[in-house]
Amino acid sequence: MRNGQTVGAHRQRRGWVALWTVIASVAIASMILAGCGTDPNQGQAQQNQAKLDHELHHAKSELGIPESMLKPIETQEQSVASGAGGWNYSYKDASYHYQLLYTQLVGIEQTAGQTLKQQASADIAAFTNALNARRSQGFKQIDAYQGRLQQVIGDYNNAQMPGDFAKVDAEARANTEALNALWPAYQKLQAFQQVLLALRNAGLNSALSQVEYQQDVDAFRNASSADRYQKLVGVIDGQINQLVADQAEALPYVGNALLSVFQARIQLLKQYGDTTDAATFQQQYTQDTRELAQAHSLADYLTLSQQINKQSDGMSLPLIRAQAHYDFNALAKLVTYANTKTMTNPYDGTQYPLAYEYADYYNGIGDAQSRLAYADSVNSIYSYAYADDDINILTTNLRALLDDYGDSTPHYLPHQTDLQLMRQYGVMQGKTIVVSLREQTARFYENGKLVYWSFVTTGRPEKPSVPGLHYALLKLQHTMFTSPEPKGSPLWYAPTPINFAIEYSLGGFFLHDAWWRAEFGPYTNLPHYDPAAFNGGSHGCINFPLNNMAWVYNWTPDSSPIIVY
């Protein structure tokens, strides 16, 4: 019996093992089937992903939203999809995340147009500043950029879809970078010119190099991108080195000419107040001078020439950085000086700073300081050039304000400060609007001739108008302005219908009619009795009488220069 019981027990155990094997197999098969698509949430996940992909296609192809704005959505979608069908993959979670990404994408689509419009407007302003800065430096080779600026502004005014604004922004950025790259190329041309002058003074033949120099000048004038200007720098370095290689007798003259240019740039760096970098470059100059005196072979001169070129090129960033800080400090001193002078409000006898617009945190020196701080954070030539261009325009306009304040010329006649600014900014041709903040007067010039004038009211001390050189960015008729301030703020105003408006600066700053105002002209930007106009100036816009603004609107073409000083 004991053996029989043992045999039965073994059979029973084998039965249980077989049963558990079947159960396990069924369970595994069920899990495999679930992984193969029987999860009831799989279909919904696939639908949500397809909906997301369709919307992404719409955002790219029809709206033209840049890839940079859509990349985070695409990356997260790939992350969600990467584990599909795998062990423990949750189609329920995937469905939820696809729907969440779809919602985020729709939000991007709804805000992309405004975001890209603001960016395009800011970069058009940067393009404008760079163009005006190069013009004020005396460059005659930038006429083509004026045409490009007008085209960019025209495209901006016609833009409707996000992709339209993205294209405008890319074009504005490309031209700004080209204008900022123009300066280093110009400096390299100057160095080449100094070399050729040294050879001529020494009686050496430089005919071939003179031809190359003229070709470089032509390339400089015709360059249309930052990349081409940067390549021109390398080309000129190569030409100088080839000159050394071809004419052994020219070697010491070329070396001395390059060192002379190097020393001049060191002196400029010292003038701007960067004594630390200047000391480093001065040590390099001293060493270069020793090596030039000891050079005997062609290899010695070629090595030294390449070394000096490299060191001189290495000064580009320290120079523009030091210049931007130097110019900012000069602007800060000028703003302080200007605001030691005051104007008396005839309504209540209160004294106000003469140039309060330039002392403003957001649109005056504070904005310039923010641009400079940003440049310090990224430490690039282009960012410093952008900041410095803005600083120089504010400085130029503030000096004009100080000169104009003592000018007794009647409002309705041309003012010398108007004409000086127009000449400096190269806008004597075509139509130009000039607004004098202290006169509270706008004058309108066509080909340098005054054709119309109007009293205006500009921004009150708490919300000043934006000084600078601007362009007519957007024209609106029969629109509604709403206050950016919360209700209850002393600066809040009820939604207000506007008949004619021309945007002149990013952030909602317009020339527009103010049909509710009883007075315009001198001191109306300061507190005075005018209840419907909050008894004071505007909120940063430049207000005109209704009939005058109708004329301004019809007379002003898109992209017209608007100088506010």
Side-chain angles (χ1 to χ4, degrees):
M1 291 295 296
R2 190 176 297 130
N3 289 338
Q5 290 172 349
T6 302
V7 171
H10 279 298
R11 287 176 179 170
Q12 188 178 28
R13 281 196 296 273
R14 283 199 299 272
W16 282 108
V17 169
L19 178 61
W20 281 111
T21 300
V22 171
I23 293 172
S25 298
V26 171
I28 292 172
S30 297
M31 287 187 285
I32 292 174
L33 287 173
C36 291
T38 59
D39 188 324
N41 295 298
Q42 183 176 1
Q44 187 61 53
Q46 291 172 340
Q47 289 179 18
N48 288 354
Q49 184 180 19
K51 183 173 72 169
L52 174 61
D53 288 339
H54 176 77
E55 198 64 28
L56 277 167
H57 177 76
H58 170 69
K60 292 178 182 178
S61 303
E62 299 175 35
L63 300 182
I65 296 178
E67 182 68 25
S68 59
M69 297 182 74
L70 300 175
K71 189 65 176 175
I73 298 290
E74 293 176 325
T75 300
Q76 291 180 71
E77 181 191 10
Q78 292 169 2
S79 177
V80 173
S82 63
W87 186 261
N88 285 334
Y89 185 80
S90 172
Y91 282 103
K92 183 177 180 181
D93 289 346
S95 178
Y96 168 78
H97 283 108
Y98 288 136
Q99 181 60 40
L100 182 63
L101 291 173
Y102 174 83
T103 302
Q104 292 174 355
L105 176 58
V106 171
I108 291 174
E109 290 174 343
Q110 292 172 344
T111 59
Q114 187 62 27
T115 299
L116 291 167
K117 180 180 179 180
Q118 290 177 347
Q119 185 60 55
S121 182
D123 285 325
I124 288 173
F127 182 9
T128 300
N129 287 352
L131 176 59
N132 295 326
R134 299 297 86 77
R135 183 180 283 115
S136 67
Q137 290 166 339
F139 287 102
K140 305 299 184 184
Q141 302 86 358
I142 58 173
D143 291 343
Y145 288 97
Q146 184 66 46
R148 293 176 201 163
L149 175 61
Q150 292 172 343
Q151 181 63 50
V152 164
I153 293 175
D155 291 343
Y156 175 88
N157 287 333
N158 294 326
Q160 296 181 344
M161 306 297 285
D164 299 334
F165 289 110
K167 290 177 182 177
V168 169
D169 185 51
E171 187 66 22
R173 283 174 179 259
N175 280 284
T176 302
E177 289 177 359
L179 286 166
N180 288 333
L182 180 150
W183 182 244
Y186 175 75
Q187 290 178 315
K188 185 61 66 174
L189 268 176
Q190 293 293 93
F192 196 6
Q193 188 178 48
Q194 288 294 107
V195 167
L196 296 178
L197 179 62
L199 294 182
R200 284 199 299 272
N201 290 340
L204 298 175
N205 181 18
S206 61
L208 179 59
S209 296
Q210 188 65 48
V211 170
E212 291 178 334
Y213 171 77
Q214 190 56 51
Q215 291 172 343
D216 294 337
V217 171
D218 292 339
F220 176 82
R221 289 173 176 166
N222 297 327
S224 59
S225 67
D227 180 64
R228 290 185 64 184
Y229 283 123
Q230 291 161 356
K231 287 179 180 176
L232 181 59
V233 171
V235 167
I236 296 173
D237 281 341
Q239 291 168 341
I240 292 174
N241 289 333
Q242 190 61 47
L243 176 61
V244 171
D246 291 343
Q247 296 192 64
E249 65 274 22
L251 300 179
Y253 300 103
V254 172
N256 280 316
L258 292 177
L259 281 175
S260 176
V261 172
F262 190 20
Q263 182 62 59
R265 299 186 77 189
I266 293 171
Q267 291 302 119
L268 190 58
L269 195 58
K270 291 178 181 177
Q271 177 185 326
Y272 290 148
D274 185 356
T275 55
T276 301
D277 284 317
T280 300
F281 288 116
Q282 191 66 60
Q283 291 175 355
Q284 294 175 352
Y285 171 84
T286 301
Q287 181 62 32
D288 292 341
T289 303
R290 293 196 194 99
E291 293 180 13
L292 179 61
Q294 298 169 2
H296 299 292
S297 67
L298 175 61
D300 292 340
Y301 283 108
L302 281 174
T303 299
L304 181 59
S305 174
Q306 292 169 353
Q307 179 174 296
I308 297 172
N309 278 328
K310 184 176 180 181
Q311 292 166 346
S312 187
D313 292 345
M315 294 185 71
S316 295
L317 176 58
L319 264 175
I320 187 60
R321 180 174 59 223
Q323 182 178 359
H325 280 276
Y326 178 86
D327 290 341
F328 177 79
N329 290 335
L331 172 62
K333 291 177 182 177
L334 187 62
V335 170
T336 300
Y337 166 75
N339 286 312
T340 61
K341 299 178 178 295
T342 58
M343 53 184 168
T344 303
N345 184 359
Y347 177 73
D348 60 9
T350 303
Q351 301 288 316
Y352 287 88
L354 183 62
Y356 65 80
E357 296 91 347
Y358 292 84
D360 186 64
Y361 178 78
Y362 295 102
N363 298 311
I365 193 170
D367 182 54
Q369 187 173 31
S370 296
R371 295 180 194 274
L372 186 57
Y374 173 77
D376 285 332
S377 70
V378 299
N379 200 37
S380 74
I381 291 176
Y382 292 156
S383 60
Y384 281 115
Y386 177 32
D388 196 44
D389 292 343
D390 188 52
I391 290 165
N392 285 325
I393 286 174
L394 285 174
T395 301
T396 299
N397 284 23
L398 178 52
R399 286 174 177 156
L401 180 151
L402 291 169
D403 290 342
D404 187 54
Y405 191 60
D407 189 344
S408 60
T409 303
H411 302 283
Y412 52 84
L413 294 179
H415 281 230
Q416 285 304 310
T417 44
D418 295 359
L419 299 172
Q420 288 168 6
L421 287 171
M422 290 165 62
R423 280 192 289 267
Q424 182 152 357
Y425 293 137
V427 293
M428 289 294 288
Q429 300 302 311
K431 296 180 176 181
T432 302
I433 300 171
V434 182
V435 178
S436 169
L437 294 167
R438 291 295 65 84
E439 294 179 67
Q440 293 291 286
T441 301
R443 285 180 285 270
F444 299 81
Y445 294 86
E446 190 163 359
N447 298 324
K449 303 296 183 182
L450 183 68
V451 296
Y452 190 74
W453 74 280
S454 174
F455 281 137
V456 298
T457 296
T458 64
R460 61 186 56 207
E462 313 95 283
K463 295 283 286 186
S465 298
V466 187
L469 172 59
H470 311 287
Y471 287 83
L473 295 175
L474 180 66
K475 297 176 70 176
L476 299 173
Q477 260 187 292
H478 305 299
T479 188
M480 185 72 71
F481 280 5
T482 57
S483 177
E485 303 293 335
K487 196 168 185 178
S489 165
L491 295 175
W492 179 85
Y493 59 86
T496 305
I498 301 295
N499 297 283
F500 305 99
I502 302 174
E503 186 177 22
Y504 76 93
S505 183
L506 175 67
F509 294 93
F510 287 83
L511 315 180
H512 68 79
D513 63 282
W515 46 265
W516 57 90
R517 285 190 178 277
E519 294 186 40
F520 297 86
Y523 303 105
T524 56
N525 55 309
L526 303 177
H528 63 282
Y529 183 72
D530 197 342
F534 298 91
N535 292 326
S538 77
H539 296 81
C541 291
I542 298 173
N543 293 176
F544 287 77
L546 176 57
N547 289 339
N548 294 15
M549 189 62 209
W551 183 93
V552 172
Y553 185 90
N554 292 320
W555 179 84
T556 305
D558 292 340
S559 79
S560 296
I562 302 174
I563 301 173
V564 180
Y565 77 101

